[in-house]
Amino acid sequence: MTSHPTLRIPVARLKRMGAALTVVPLLALSGCGGSSLDDTPNADSTITIGAIWAQSGNYTPLGTDMANGFNLYLTTHGNKLGGHPVVVKTADEGDTDDTALAAARKLLDSDRVDVLVGTASAVPTVKIAPKATTLKIPFIGTGGRPSTIKDVSYIWHTSWLSRETGAAIAPYLAQTVKGPVYAIGPAYTGGYDQMGGFIDAFRKVGGKLANAEGDNPNPDAAFATTPYPVTPDFKPYLNKIRASGAKAVYTFYAGGPATKFVHAYRDAGLSDIPLYGAGFLTEGSQLNPDQEGDAATGIQTVLNYAATVPGQDNADFVQTFQAKYPTIPNLYNVTAWDAAALLDQAIAKAGPHPTGETINAAIGTITQINSPRGTWHFNAQHAPEQQYFLREVRKDGRVLSNVVIRNLTTNIAVSAPPAAK
Amino acid sequence: MSTVTAITPDAINAARPPLLQRASANRWRRPRQGVAVAAAGLAVVLPAITGRYVVTLAATAIILALLAMSTQLLAVAALPSFGQTAFLAVGAYTAAHLADAGLTDGLLQLSGATLAAALAGAAVAPVVLRTRGTTFLMVTIMIQGLAAAVALHWTSVTGGDEGVDTPPVTLWPGHPLTEAAYQYWYALAVLAACGAGIGWLMRSRLVLVLRGHAGHEPRMAALGHHPTIGLGLGYTAAAAIAGAGGALLIVVNQHAGPADLGFGTAAAGFAAAALGTCLTGTPTMTGALTAAIAIIALRDATGSNGTGPLYLGLLCLTVPYLRPTVLRLHRHWARRSEPTA
Amino acid sequence: MNTLLHLDEICCRYGAVTALHPLTLHIAAGERRAIIGPNGAGKSTVLNAIAGTAPLATGRVVFDQQPIAGLTPASRANRGIGRTFQHPGVVDTLTVADNVALAVHLPATPPSGGRRRARDTRRAQVTTALNNVGLEAHATKPTEQLSYGQRRLLEIAMVLAAEPRLLLLDEPSAGLDPHEIRNLAQLIRALPDDIAVIVVDHHLPLVFALADTITVLAAGRHIATGTPHNIRTNPQVNDVYLIPTPQQRPTSHAVDLDVLASPSWPSNPELRTSSEPAPQPPVVLQVERLRAGYHGAPVLHDIDLTVTSGAIHTILGRNGAGKSTLINTIAATHPALPGTQIRLDGIDLPPGNPTRTARHGVALVPQGRHLFASLTIREHLALAARHARRHGRPPGDVRWTTDDALDLLPALRDKLGRYPAQLSGGEQQMAALARALLTSPRLLLLDEPTEGLATAVVDQLTHAITRIADQSVAILLAEQNQHLALAVADQVSVLDHGRIAFTTTARTLHEPATRTRLNDLLGVTTTGSPS
Amino acid sequence: MVSDLVPWAVTALGGVAYGLLLFVVADGLALIVGVMNVMNLAHGASYLAGAYLACWLADGTLTGLAVAVLAGIAAAAIAGAGLSVLLKPLAGHTEQAAVTLGIGFIASWAFTRLTGGNTLSPPRPAILDGHLSFAGHGYPVYDLTFIVLAIPLAAGMYLIVRRSMAGIRLRAAVDDPLMAAAQGLSVARIRTIALATGTMLAVTAGVLGAPVIGPGPGVDSHVLTLSLIVVILGGAGTNIRALLTSALLVGMVENIGVATVPALASFSLFLIVIAVLVVRGHRQAVSAA
């Protein structure tokens, strides 16, 4: 029937319908801005902030935490940053760098934001950075910073460098664990950065790994890898630990895989081998009873924040936070809160009509940020120079929480990433 | 970007062999041409009347359109494919490696990507073409999964989950294509060229053979058409089209990574072809193109706050039910315009 | 004459069924060969073995001095073997001209003038091919709009456009009207002398008009090969295929009476005939104005017929006369056209609903048996028996049990645990019959139950069918095997060109005038060329 | 020596549990593909729905688990019947696949909205919580229970399909739908029942398997892909034995295989499918569809 010549009429009509169908949304969208060839930045006193929070996919809980932290700062500061009224446009980070880039494009190109904030995952930063830099819009990262980013002139992270978390705990483990440590983590950029940071620092201070040759298909990495993003089952990987003779295990997992890992670790009968991890293993909603729950008890992790960090700033923050939200504040709340605090200072310094360029310049002049995690400042890589804490999952009242048990050595020297991966 | 309606003749049209020209058909030429010219004009001036965001989205829609057309070419042969992203990936990584090697010339990357994808298609075809129907659909989902796993884990070639960053393409030396508008125009030109190529293909003997295989495979074999060769050529051509889309991905994103070729992209490409078929009644390239644009508009533009999957889902859940209506309209119009015999 | 095709001891099996016992044939270049035989003789299997669509169990196929048994159908086609299918193999979604264009192969090196010239050549060849079969006016039509006969012609045009050296025609006259058959005969006769043709057909006038040599097969075995004259006069052929020669015709009733008197037919005609004067048994099936067809082209027109309780109504007709279509339309497995009325025990059967038709008490033993491949015979019977329990008709009706069925068909008794593929053709047929019986039907529809079966099995089935009728089941039997049909029938209808041409009762069946009429209608005449 | 084998034995046991879980899901898919000839791209979403249901209803008691299973079965029956109504007017494979794809999209969006996108791990009934220890290698009691539960489930499926009247009717409808109708079977009803049963199996697998493959974003397409692999290897339709074999094969590859050759962890299954396709002929693969 397809070949009947007279079918041309309906097709022509359908095409007209199709064209109309196409043109209408495009024209509607075109209201978002003038010609793409004539892009001039906004120049009124209202600051538009573009926030990329994960609203779908694996990072949704982190996105929600970050949005809560950021919005909390705004609502407690009269919806003004640096004296300027603020409009926040949000877009969904999604599951991948692809969706995150689409979100950044919408905020940068369509909403013409002055500042970009967000992303839970470290990976999209690489894709968003060049775009923001070209447009001279500062990007305040609230999630991990991958080691592979090149030009950081417009890129600032209020969070952490991916390699530094593990490096912070390495000396402590080398000192306290009497015997080799088994390293295991996911096979993606975040995993390689996090675990690589730990292993390099650990070896430097004389630590010994329990991993066998061939645990990682990549000969340059010494830790056991599990598939990412979906790890079907950790059991076969964990079954190797006992035979390795390890006296402790160090790991990095976040989100869904972290929940699975903690349960699998306990199920594998490894409870007598102490489990250490980067703090993301037990951060945020992970400790909820329907996620890790009691299985996480006793796990010691390293992170740059915990709700029990001493100090007035943190006490105030926790009180403010819990007045609005029913949960214990976590690192994701804090990095986003700090991003707002940073912008508060920077916008105030950026002149009467702040633009992306002037705000970025102002950020560079800020010497200190008073954060719930303690004061910190930017280092040369535009990431915080900050304190790390050793925390343990304990019952705190009726709920589980990450309790700070000691400060870890400051002035962490993060070794340079491997030249080429 | 609707230029393509002008350049991409659809299957309905292609089914008409040249010797069957009818005088009455010319009556319908003019309004159709008018619409096509208007759409083409709008597509060309789009960067002048809208912002960069829409322009970049439109470029993304062009990439999805190529993926959908690749899927649709197989649909013409009654092969429902979910795995054309594999060849999008081959094209994208090939172009990325060419760019890495300093070969930033856009046309060079385009031909390299198309060629590499075609070769990959020719290599995979003998395996997947052992199946038909629902099994073919299941096997192509496997192909998609395998491609995504390779992209994620063959780090030395694909850069793992971070992917490969590339310098901008150039059309003539020393002038990188960085402006969204120029990237879009380049993509549009590539789409126009591909559209012309697909248009030629749809009128070619190959597509006639594909449709023959779709209709009556034993008959085709009894006429001396080897199913694996005919369908294999079709599969290769479809892979090449997806490969061209991969080259454009590098132009627009300056990056190739596993995120661009995961389940989501594959699903969007499959849905665009399937919904396109429903919009026009039979598998047509116009339908695939229109559906690709609609999907991008709904999923990315309107649904940028996490509701994208919802909108795409609703689209998939409604459009298929339009097909009987469309077919009825076709028949109705066909009857009305039937010359009194 | 040099041999173009040599079949050397080829043998084909489907599961446990041997469709073709070792067969050797030589076809010379340009020869016109016909293969005839009753249904299930293995005629189509021979064609499929040559074309490459039936796997050979043993044997060699040599075409043009080259062994081709290992080649794909496409490779064989490219060596010059063209074929048609039993149902016209055309691509419905393409136009008529495009179908033919698919068949036109151009030489690898285009003639001077390049692509354009090549395209023009192809166009010209398409036009010529369509002109040859008289379809040129339909060139731009979608193929699905063609009638059945036109599709047949189109298929032949396609095959010829591929310029074969050997043409295999599988039942080319099926579904065609006399006018179309005449055109077809002319078309085949006008083929160039160097094309060899093998035609399988039931239309004997057509076969005799076309063939130089005729091969007769029966139940997968070679019976005879010879000139048309030899075949006509060969008594062995007459035995299996009942071709009445002109000489025999005046006394044909004698032959039939012999058959009826033969002890191998267990039914007792006297008894059955004597039951006639008894009080009129109730009408079970009443069909009025039944019309059905394929692709919009009607195959059956205004069929009226009735079957009474305990009676066997036999439908006779040539292949393609519409017997199977009639049976399937009554079973609602084939859609009836509007206006059709089918009543069972006075109740209208819902149109197009095989499930509800079955539940009203209609059981089907279809042509080709259609057993369920993954069910054992015991499971087949259990499925049917459950149906009878759930949807059984009012008490007082005969309820068939598995034991009843096994008593009737004892060969099945030790085969209950087997799957259909592990049974012989006869056992499969018995299983299909038993499955139908266990639904305790009011009406049993039997479509060619003896197709491809050995005589001994046919005897058993005949016996079983009469016994079933004795249990006041109404039976509608479509048959080609006149032995069986006439041995059991209470009533005989002859289907010709989609209409009931003639109905008679068992009582009048043996009158010479009736027999002559019957033979005429069944196309077993050898006089009168189709041209 | 024995202690060297223990980790492998424990890993193999994991493979069995994983394979059996996949078997239950894939069996449902095989039923849908076999009886309806529909590629149900929302099958993974059915598993996910069951797993979330387990998280909401499980309260650490066996009763809670039983309630979740029953609720899942009831919901799945309704959903399956609804899906069959949705699919009925559609003719082509592609359209049917598109509609199920759409349902999958909407379901995963809704789940993320309802759960905040967390990967959940429902509390296991208290008496099944904990693990057994074999020479220092633990194995969760729940997984062991799952094996113990799944074996009779698989045997039950086998018996139902092979021995019961329902199974006979099902096989008849798969083999020859028209002839089945002519035997008085309501093929439309059998199809609806097959779709509902297939969905029910996926949901039940989700409820019981939530502690093994926990619910979270992306789990739906992962489970879908795995069960597709099982169906491609084991064939669509009613061959329970082949399905079980291929499900256990997949389970073993996903456990012993990845532990032995981690480099091939992500590809091994795809490579197996392709190898099987190369070896197995065209005809068989087509008839499986």
Side-chain angles (χ1 to χ4, degrees):
Chain A
M1 82 203 81
T2 53
S3 44
H4 206 284
T6 47
L7 290 191
R8 300 160 134 250
I9 323 127
V11 168
R13 284 193 202 174
L14 280 172
K15 278 182 181 168
R16 253 171 289 165
M17 272 161 51
L21 217 73
T22 312
V23 169
V24 169
L26 285 180
L27 287 179
L29 281 169
S30 67
C32 302
S35 158
S36 69
L37 299 170
D38 172 34
D39 280 334
T40 45
N42 290 332
D44 55 14
S45 85
T46 303
I47 307 289
T48 314
I49 293 176
I52 306 173
W53 309 131
Q55 294 162 52
S56 68
N58 267 307
Y59 300 107
T60 312
L62 279 63
T64 311
D65 283 343
M66 289 174 178
N68 287 350
F70 196 83
N71 294 339
L72 183 66
Y73 190 95
L74 288 183
T75 48
T76 52
H77 291 76
N79 277 322
K80 284 189 172 183
L81 292 178
H84 290 267
V86 165
V87 173
V88 180
K89 304 260 187 186
T90 60
D92 176 25
E93 175 180 346
D95 238 343
T96 62
D97 50 355
D98 183 39
T99 44
L101 181 66
R105 277 183 177 145
K106 176 186 175 282
L107 295 173
L108 290 171
D109 293 340
S110 174
D111 297 332
R112 306 296 179 95
V113 299
D114 302 302
V115 183
L116 208 53
V117 185
T119 81
S121 164
V123 180
T125 322
V126 184
K127 275 179 138 182
I128 296 170
K131 178 117 186 108
T133 310
T134 314
L135 296 172
K136 296 192 162 70
I137 300 293
F139 172 44
I140 320 294
T142 50
R145 157 86 70 86
S147 62
T148 41
I149 204 153
K150 288 164 195 146
D151 178 6
V152 294
S153 51
Y154 275 82
I155 312 303
W156 309 86
H157 274 79
T158 61
S159 46
W160 62 86
L161 291 175
S162 291
R163 292 179 67 85
E164 105 194 338
T165 322
I169 198 178
Y172 171 78
L173 286 190
Q175 218 168 40
T176 48
V177 178
K178 304 284 178 263
V181 171
Y182 194 88
I184 181 169
Y188 79 106
T189 312
Y192 277 97
D193 274 349
Q194 286 276 350
M195 296 305 294
F198 167 75
I199 289 168
D200 289 353
F202 187 63
R203 283 181 167 156
K204 207 171 278 175
V205 295
K208 193 174 165 297
L209 292 180
N211 294 67
E213 289 285 323
D215 268 357
N216 189 326
N218 178 354
D220 296 336
F223 66 102
T225 45
T226 59
Y228 183 86
V230 181
T231 312
D233 197 350
F234 283 107
K235 276 192 227 84
Y237 302 94
L238 295 175
N239 285 338
K240 290 176 165 183
I241 293 178
R242 173 75 58 192
S244 73
K247 295 295 174 211
V249 174
Y250 179 78
T251 190
F252 158 76
Y253 286 101
T259 307
K260 285 186 185 174
F261 184 86
V262 166
H263 281 287
Y265 193 83
R266 204 186 63 146
D267 283 342
L270 295 170
S271 305
D272 57 320
I273 302 177
L275 177 60
Y276 295 91
F280 315 102
L281 191 64
T282 57
E283 195 62 6
S285 59
Q286 310 275 25
L287 293 177
N288 288 351
D290 61 351
Q291 295 185 52
E292 288 168 11
D294 289 336
T297 316
I299 296 173
Q300 296 196 358
T301 61
V302 52
L303 204 62
N304 45 354
Y305 179 71
T308 53
V309 162
Q312 193 55 45
D313 281 339
N314 190 38
D316 293 347
F317 169 72
V318 172
Q319 197 185 8
T320 315
F321 188 88
Q322 293 201 315
K324 177 134 189 223
Y325 303 108
T327 56
I328 297 172
N330 60 45
L331 176 66
Y332 310 121
N333 300 131
V334 170
T335 55
W337 168 279
D338 283 4
L342 170 71
L343 287 174
D344 202 1
Q345 283 193 53
I347 291 168
K349 287 186 172 185
H353 296 291
T355 64
E357 207 171 351
T358 58
I359 296 172
N360 192 59
I363 295 173
T365 65
I366 292 167
T367 52
Q368 181 179 313
I369 289 143
N370 297 324
S371 161
R373 60 186 124 154
T375 56
W376 57 268
H377 62 272
F378 281 116
N379 60 18
Q381 295 173 20
H382 291 188
E385 197 74 42
Q386 61 189 326
Q387 177 71 53
Y388 273 81
F389 307 96
L390 184 67
R391 324 166 316 162
E392 186 179 322
V393 178
R394 288 184 194 157
K395 258 305 190 269
D396 181 18
R398 287 177 55 211
V399 291
L400 287 171
S401 88
N402 291 295
V403 177
V404 174
I405 51 177
R406 65 181 292 166
N407 287 7
L408 292 169
T409 330
T410 47
N411 299 329
I412 309 137
V414 178
S415 52
K421 205 162 46 75
Chain B
M1 71 203 81
S2 313
T3 0
V4 218
T5 42
I7 312 157
T8 310
D10 46 68
I12 289 178
N13 214 1
R16 179 180 47 89
L19 78 154
L20 306 175
Q21 297 275 3
R22 266 210 208 171
S24 67
N26 287 331
R27 270 193 312 171
W28 305 102
R29 267 273 152 93
R30 211 155 294 151
R32 191 182 150 195
Q33 267 180 346
V35 173
V37 166
L42 178 71
V44 170
V45 301
L46 190 73
I49 56 172
T50 67
R52 201 165 46 209
Y53 178 59
V54 174
V55 170
T56 310
L57 269 191
T60 315
I62 289 176
I63 296 168
L64 184 64
L66 285 171
L67 184 65
M69 288 175 167
S70 165
T71 310
Q72 197 74 313
L73 182 59
L74 292 175
V76 167
L79 295 171
S81 176
F82 202 84
Q84 297 312 101
T85 37
F87 306 108
L88 187 84
V90 171
Y93 283 113
T94 304
H97 278 281
L98 289 175
D100 246 15
L103 302 167
T104 53
D105 183 69
L107 294 178
L108 186 84
Q109 286 182 16
L110 183 68
S111 14
T114 311
L115 187 68
L119 288 175
V124 173
V127 176
V128 293
L129 290 177
R130 284 169 172 272
T131 60
R132 301 282 186 274
T134 307
T135 316
F136 181 84
L137 178 60
M138 297 200 284
V139 169
T140 52
I141 296 177
M142 295 296 106
I143 296 290
Q144 183 275 325
L146 180 63
V150 169
L152 202 56
H153 295 286
W154 195 10
T155 315
S156 54
V157 172
T158 62
D161 64 312
E162 273 205 332
V164 189
D165 282 312
T166 65
V169 297
T170 53
L171 282 187
W172 50 92
H175 291 274
L177 219 53
T178 47
E179 264 307 316
Y182 295 114
Q183 290 173 356
Y184 165 76
W185 275 321
Y186 174 67
L188 190 65
V190 170
L191 179 66
C194 283
I198 295 170
W200 172 81
L201 197 65
M202 294 300 281
R203 288 166 189 275
S204 75
R205 189 161 171 79
L206 174 63
V207 163
L208 188 61
V209 169
L210 292 184
R211 303 180 69 210
H213 279 300
H216 201 304
E217 204 167 310
R219 161 44 68 210
M220 295 299 285
L223 288 176
H225 296 280
H226 291 273
T228 317
I229 294 178
L231 295 176
L233 282 173
Y235 195 80
T236 307
I241 298 168
L248 288 188
L249 195 69
I250 296 296
V251 172
V252 177
N253 283 0
Q254 289 155 44
H255 178 92
D260 304 313
L261 34 103
F263 191 85
T265 312
F270 176 78
L275 301 187
T277 302
C278 299
L279 284 176
T280 49
T282 51
T284 62
M285 291 299 166
T286 322
L289 178 76
T290 313
I293 295 165
I295 285 176
I296 291 292
L298 268 177
R299 189 193 67 179
D300 292 13
T302 323
S304 66
N305 274 339
T307 40
L310 174 67
Y311 293 146
L312 184 51
L314 289 174
L315 203 62
C316 289
L317 205 48
T318 45
V319 176
Y321 298 96
L322 298 177
R323 190 174 176 188
T325 316
V326 170
L327 283 176
R328 223 171 6 249
L329 287 176
H330 275 203
R331 269 197 292 272
H332 176 72
W333 280 319
R335 254 199 313 277
R336 267 194 17 187
S337 59
E338 188 92 350
T340 43
Chain C
M1 257 206 278
N2 56 330
T3 301
L4 178 67
L5 176 77
H6 171 46
L7 303 181
D8 184 9
E9 296 283 310
I10 62 163
C11 174
C12 295
R13 290 196 193 96
Y14 300 110
V17 182
T18 301
L20 198 61
H21 295 279
L23 173 75
T24 298
L25 282 184
H26 293 269
I27 308 288
E31 185 178 338
R32 303 296 149 89
R33 172 73 63 103
I35 301 178
I36 60 172
N39 264 353
K43 308 181 300 284
S44 289
T45 306
V46 174
L47 294 195
N48 287 334
I50 299 170
T53 46
L56 284 190
T58 57
R60 293 192 316 142
V61 182
V62 179
F63 180 72
D64 200 17
Q65 271 86 49
Q66 305 278 324
I68 58 166
L71 298 183
T72 61
S75 299
R76 297 187 199 204
N78 286 329
R79 287 182 182 221
I81 298 179
R83 71 160 308 170
T84 64
F85 293 87
Q86 265 188 9
H87 291 288
V90 292
V91 183
D92 280 346
T93 47
L94 296 178
T95 62
V96 171
D98 279 348
N99 265 290
V100 180
L102 279 172
V104 178
H105 290 272
L106 291 178
T109 46
S112 57
R115 308 180 52 84
R116 177 175 293 276
R117 175 79 176 280
R119 204 166 56 219
D120 291 346
T121 313
R122 178 173 292 148
R123 238 182 260 180
Q125 284 179 351
V126 169
T127 314
T128 314
L130 287 176
N131 279 337
N132 283 343
V133 298
L135 285 177
E136 64 276 5
H138 303 287
T140 60
K141 262 193 191 168
T143 304
E144 60 179 358
Q145 292 180 4
L146 294 191
S147 73
Y148 197 79
Q150 287 172 324
R151 293 148 72 84
R152 173 81 64 198
L153 291 177
L154 170 61
E155 189 188 31
I156 290 171
M158 290 166 77
V159 179
L160 291 180
E163 299 180 344
R165 281 188 294 161
L166 171 63
L167 183 56
L168 311 173
L169 299 171
D170 199 353
E171 307 274 6
S173 75
L176 301 195
D177 64 31
H179 177 71
E180 289 170 326
I181 292 175
R182 201 158 46 240
N183 287 346
L184 179 76
Q186 275 169 347
L187 187 68
I188 297 171
R189 274 184 175 174
L191 288 178
D193 284 341
D194 54 343
I195 300 183
V197 178
I198 304 179
V199 57
V200 163
D201 210 300
H202 278 85
H203 194 278
L204 294 182
L206 178 72
V207 165
F208 287 124
L210 290 179
D212 308 328
T213 316
I214 297 176
T215 295
V216 184
L217 302 180
R221 291 177 199 277
H222 180 256
I223 301 295
T225 294
T227 62
H229 179 76
N230 289 341
I231 294 298
R232 257 179 243 168
T233 53
N234 185 329
Q236 208 188 348
V237 172
N238 277 341
D239 220 31
V240 297
Y241 202 43
L242 272 192
I243 301 173
T245 60
Q247 294 86 347
Q248 277 180 319
R249 203 194 288 164
T251 54
S252 62
H253 64 280
V255 175
D256 293 308
L257 288 175
D258 286 345
V259 167
L260 292 169
S262 141
S264 69
W265 305 102
S267 79
N268 186 338
E270 280 86 350
L271 185 75
R272 298 200 65 76
T273 333
S274 70
S275 69
E276 286 292 313
Q280 194 68 27
V283 170
V284 174
L285 175 73
Q286 185 170 22
V287 172
E288 280 172 18
R289 295 185 306 281
L290 180 144
R291 295 193 309 127
Y294 295 91
H295 308 284
V299 171
L300 295 176
H301 317 266
D302 297 320
I303 304 283
D304 293 340
L305 62 85
T306 55
V307 187
T308 52
S309 175
I312 301 176
H313 190 146
T314 302
I315 306 286
L316 288 171
R318 293 188 303 221
N319 220 38
K323 301 190 298 292
S324 288
T325 310
L326 175 61
I327 294 282
N328 287 325
T329 308
I330 294 172
T333 51
H334 182 87
L337 294 174
T340 302
Q341 210 165 42
I342 303 172
R343 278 200 211 98
L344 194 77
D345 289 330
I347 300 165
D348 276 327
L349 289 179
N353 190 332
T355 304
R356 290 184 54 197
T357 300
R359 290 179 180 179
H360 273 94
V362 177
L364 171 67
V365 179
Q367 193 178 13
R369 295 127 199 176
H370 285 266
L371 295 171
F372 303 113
S374 70
L375 264 61
T376 62
I377 302 311
R378 185 176 287 114
E379 288 170 339
H380 277 89
L381 303 186
L383 182 70
R386 178 203 156 277
H387 159 95
R389 275 196 303 280
R390 275 279 189 84
H391 308 285
R393 272 136 323 272
D397 254 28
V398 180
R399 173 68 55 81
W400 288 80
T401 66
T402 309
D403 277 339
D404 297 340
L406 292 179
D407 285 346
L408 198 63
L409 303 159
L412 284 180
R413 202 174 279 281
D414 52 353
K415 301 283 168 27
L416 287 177
R418 302 234 184 143
Y419 291 94
Q422 300 167 327
L423 298 184
S424 73
E427 289 161 349
Q428 289 185 7
Q429 191 62 57
M430 291 181 193
L433 184 57
R435 170 179 68 177
L437 273 187
L438 280 177
T439 62
S440 300
R442 292 286 295 136
L443 171 70
L444 181 62
L445 302 169
L446 296 167
D447 194 358
E448 306 266 2
T450 63
E451 178 179 334
L453 300 185
T455 324
V457 182
V458 175
D459 291 353
Q460 291 177 35
L461 280 171
T462 315
H463 177 71
I465 291 169
T466 47
R467 291 249 320 260
I468 295 165
D470 290 343
Q471 301 294 321
S472 62
V473 175
I475 297 180
L476 187 64
L477 167 70
E479 247 312 338
Q480 274 197 348
N481 184 331
Q482 290 184 47
H483 273 308
L484 173 74
L486 302 182
V488 301
D490 296 303
Q491 210 172 14
V492 174
S493 290
V494 180
L495 207 54
D496 187 42
H497 296 119
R499 293 176 198 277
I500 300 250
F502 177 52
T503 300
T504 179
T505 60
R507 209 182 305 170
T508 57
L509 198 56
H510 312 301
E511 289 163 13
T514 315
R515 297 296 299 148
T516 310
R517 182 83 206 281
L518 211 54
N519 283 340
D520 278 346
L521 278 168
L522 291 176
V524 286
T525 169
T526 53
T527 53
S529 130
S531 49
Chain D
M1 216 44 236
V2 173
S3 62
D4 283 353
L5 289 176
V6 167
W8 293 110
V10 172
T11 307
L13 202 58
V16 172
Y18 201 72
L20 286 172
L21 178 58
L22 285 182
F23 164 74
V24 181
V25 188
D27 192 25
L29 185 63
L31 212 56
I32 294 171
V33 176
V35 179
M36 310 264 304
N37 199 13
V38 165
M39 180 59 247
N40 181 11
L41 289 169
H43 198 66
S46 302
Y47 176 90
L48 197 51
Y52 276 122
L53 197 69
C55 294
W56 290 324
L57 295 181
D59 54 358
T61 65
L62 280 178
T63 324
L65 189 64
V67 168
V69 169
L70 292 177
I73 287 176
I78 295 165
L83 188 58
S84 91
V85 171
L86 272 180
L87 292 179
K88 204 170 178 191
L90 301 175
H93 297 148
T94 317
E95 288 164 312
Q96 292 171 333
V99 164
T100 59
L101 184 69
I103 292 170
F105 274 131
I106 295 172
S108 69
W109 172 84
F111 290 142
T112 306
R113 280 295 136 110
L114 290 173
T115 63
N118 284 309
T119 292
L120 303 180
S121 187
R124 300 178 279 202
I127 50 165
L128 301 179
D129 207 8
H131 61 267
L132 303 174
S133 196
F134 309 93
H137 292 274
Y139 194 77
V141 176
Y142 186 89
D143 291 27
L144 216 53
T145 319
F146 184 83
I147 294 178
V148 173
L149 275 179
I151 289 173
L153 189 64
M157 280 305 294
Y158 180 83
L159 288 179
I160 287 174
V161 169
R162 283 288 136 193
R163 297 271 180 272
S164 77
M165 184 49 68
I168 292 173
R169 303 171 65 191
L170 184 68
R171 278 182 285 148
V174 173
D175 286 348
D176 192 335
L178 194 59
M179 195 56 220
Q183 282 287 103
L185 299 189
S186 169
V187 177
R189 220 176 78 204
I190 292 177
R191 283 169 176 233
T192 304
I193 290 172
L195 191 51
T197 312
T199 311
M200 229 182 268
L201 283 169
V203 173
T204 310
V207 174
L208 294 176
V212 183
I213 303 180
V219 169
D220 43 357
S221 58
H222 182 68
V223 169
L224 175 69
T225 309
L226 285 177
S227 45
L228 267 181
I229 290 173
V230 175
V231 172
I232 292 177
L233 296 179
T238 53
N239 192 341
I240 303 289
R241 215 178 310 171
L243 273 178
L244 184 61
T245 313
S246 50
L248 287 175
L249 171 76
V250 171
M252 286 302 167
V253 170
E254 285 286 84
N255 279 265
I256 294 196
V258 299
T260 323
V261 200
L264 283 179
S266 306
F267 315 103
S268 44
L269 283 176
F270 297 118
L271 295 177
I272 288 174
V273 170
I274 287 172
V276 165
L277 281 181
V278 170
V279 173
R280 189 162 65 183
H282 170 194
R283 220 158 299 192
Q284 240 178 319
V286 168
S287 67

